[in-house]
Amino acid sequence: MSGVPTSVVAASGLVGGYGVARWTKKRPLGGVALAAAGAVAAKEWQEQAGTKAAVALSGAYVAAFVGSHLLAKKIGAWPSVFAVAGGVAVVSWVVADRRK
């Protein structure tokens, strides 16, 4: 997966996880998609930027997931998912991807 930027993997995991959960009406299945993308991103973050950065970015990924639920109450589900996915993508690019 080293050809795909981690910013894309992480953002896709957040958007894809929500999409899978919504369209299949099976939240656990969305969680699997979210977790799989997060695991791939974390592995790449560790390789590209080190363990501390990977832990911090993984925390940001989980915080974005939680934050999207809180933000959805104010701006709606899809806008909140896209907002947090964009935020995670930017942080991931700054910390890990731009080093390539």
Side-chain angles (χ1 to χ4, degrees), residues 3-98:
V4 178
T6 60
S7 54
V8 173
V9 173
S12 297
L14 289 161
V15 173
Y18 176 68
V20 167
R22 182 173 176 121
W23 289 314
T24 65
K25 298 185 181 6
K26 296 185 183 344
R27 292 179 73 173
L29 193 55
V32 169
L34 177 82
V40 170
K43 179 180 176 294
E44 292 296 317
W45 288 327
Q46 197 277 326
E47 290 175 5
Q48 291 178 20
T51 302
K52 286 183 184 180
V55 169
L57 288 167
S58 295
Y61 186 77
V62 171
F65 169 71
V66 172
S68 71
H69 289 80
L70 303 173
L71 188 58
K73 294 176 183 178
K74 295 186 185 273
I75 65 172
W78 278 114
S80 82
V81 170
F82 286 126
V84 300
V88 166
V90 168
V91 172
S92 179
W93 182 82
V94 167
V95 173
D97 292 339
R98 73 177 175 159

